Amino acid sequence: MSVIAPSAPRRRVPVAACVCLLSFTAFWAAQRAAHVSMIDLMVYRAEGATVRAGGDLYALRATAAHLPTTYPPFAALLFTPLTLLDTAPLRALATAGNLALLLVFVRLSLKLVGHARGETVWWVAAPAVWCEPVWTTLRYGQVNLLLAVLVLWDLCRRPAGGHDRWTGAGLGLAAAVKLTPALFPVFLLATGVVAHLGGADGRPWLRHARGAATVFAAATLSAAAALPYDSWRFWTDMVFRAGRVGHAEETANQALRGVLARSLHTPDPGTLWAVCAAVTAAVGLATAVRAELRGRRAWAVCACAVTALLVSPVSWTHHWVWCVPVVLLLWTRGHRAPALGTLLVFCSYAPWWVPHGSGRPELRQGGVEFTLSALYGAAGALLLVLAWTSLPRPGQGVERVKPSRRSRTS
């Protein structure tokens, strides 16, 4: 009786999974050796405890760093179960959860760019855990991977007819936890309006945006019912205080506002930042809408994500986990040099090479230091340029498509 050898693809999957497991194990050991505090996770836990105790959420100062509450009240409601665990098991659970979310995030990113081979998830996730945004997300116990998974899950779903009862749920929940993902429903709304004005059927995009807005409103109103005082304070006051999050010029702030603050040697770039952010938002959204209407959803999603990171008042380095789908997109679309350059930027830990910390040395940066502390923003700007220039022009053989018949290759 002959024994049939397993096919090559079947052999590759266990090998890839083992390599990924070894990488994750080494990562976990490195995190433990570094004695990471997971400081943001501790803030989330303190927020949940404040909600349970009926305290003033936005008067909270947690951990030895006296960090404030910065997320909407709905997020604090979700954090209440964190109080049921002691800090040691909570840190372990958060690390394991984020590693699992990284696998899902990589899987959805590959789906976004049209790559279907299963073992690739393992091969990509193995090194991805070591890139600075992912490393720092796990180091701090952040929610960035969860929010990115919610966004990609929503935008990668293709229900029959382009719409079902879950359409928009991921985007709405992500925006209710943290406001930055709210740009994605705006992108969908703009796409629907532009499609309608151009004589096409914009209703699928409008329905998607409406679904996200409905879920966001439901989550926000539920938080207002449970935490009326905190909700009033957040939406009428705290949401406008960008300075509560940290100094604009901090090297970890890779948003446009941080780049301007460091380049101008000022803690508040003021009106100039507002103008630059408005222009960037307009250009970024126009790029995303143009890509979407030409059936290039991967370009559209990455352009929208990068735009949100650039125009937000603060985008810490760990917010840039979107570098994973950006690199995959550039590589699979033949932009190999930009892909490798972007990968190098996000694996270099360059923002941490420059002086930072007490004394606010970022306000006195020289040319080399400024360049190193602006690389994430530069990579984001490069993505927007490539997204715009890589799209086919009307009449070059690519027609605008309806959402229900969108290109499989994005």
Side-chain angles (χ1 to χ4, degrees), residues 206-293:
L206 296 176
R207 285 197 298 262
H208 201 157
R210 185 173 65 244
T214 300
V215 173
F216 171 81
T220 302
L221 290 175
S222 67
L227 304 169
Y229 174 70
D230 292 320
S231 294
W232 175 259
R233 285 196 67 194
F234 179 81
W235 294 108
T236 62
D237 185 12
M238 299 300 166
V239 69
F240 303 108
R241 296 193 184 187
R244 294 181 74 252
V245 181
H247 298 305
E249 78 278 359
E250 290 185 40
T251 188
N253 182 12
Q254 293 294 303
L256 182 61
R257 181 166 172 258
V259 174
L260 287 174
R262 292 188 292 273
S263 66
L264 299 174
H265 308 290
T266 175
D268 184 10
T271 303
L272 178 61
W273 166 70
V275 172
C276 291
V279 172
T280 302
V283 171
L285 280 175
T287 302
V289 169
R290 186 170 180 257
E292 180 74 2
L293 290 176

Side-chain angles (χ1 to χ4, degrees), residues 287-351:
T287 302
V289 169
R290 186 170 180 257
E292 180 74 2
L293 290 176
R294 282 162 174 74
R296 301 297 193 261
R297 169 150 286 196
W299 285 109
V301 171
C302 288
C304 187
V306 165
T307 301
L309 291 168
L310 289 173
V311 303
S312 175
V314 174
S315 291
W316 304 124
T317 60
H318 54 78
H319 295 165
W320 287 79
V321 293
W322 285 95
C323 66
V324 174
V326 165
V327 170
L328 291 173
L329 173 64
L330 293 175
W331 183 265
T332 57
R333 297 307 184 266
H335 300 284
R336 299 299 172 85
L340 291 174
T342 302
L343 179 63
L344 177 62
V345 164
F346 288 103
C347 290
S348 67
Y349 293 68

Side-chain angles (χ1 to χ4, degrees), residues 14 27 45 66 138 159 179 240 260 262 294 306 340 365 383 397:
F27 174 88
R45 188 173 186 271
H66 302 288
L138 274 80
L179 295 181
F240 303 108
L260 287 174
R262 292 188 292 273
R294 282 162 174 74
V306 165
L340 291 174
Q365 286 184 349
L383 183 279

Side-chain angles (χ1 to χ4, degrees), residues 387-401:
W388 184 270
T389 58
S390 298
L391 296 176
R393 296 173 183 174
Q396 288 186 326
V398 177
E399 301 295 332
R400 297 186 181 190
V401 296

Side-chain angles (χ1 to χ4, degrees), residues 162-163 187-210 292-293 401-404 406:
H163 180 76
F187 146 69
L188 292 170
L189 175 63
T191 304
V193 170
V194 172
H196 177 74
L197 293 176
D201 183 8
R203 288 176 296 177
W205 289 290
L206 296 176
R207 285 197 298 262
H208 201 157
R210 185 173 65 244
E292 180 74 2
L293 290 176
V401 296
K402 296 180 181 180
S404 58
R406 205 170 286 134

Side-chain angles (χ1 to χ4, degrees), residues 126 133 149:
V149 163

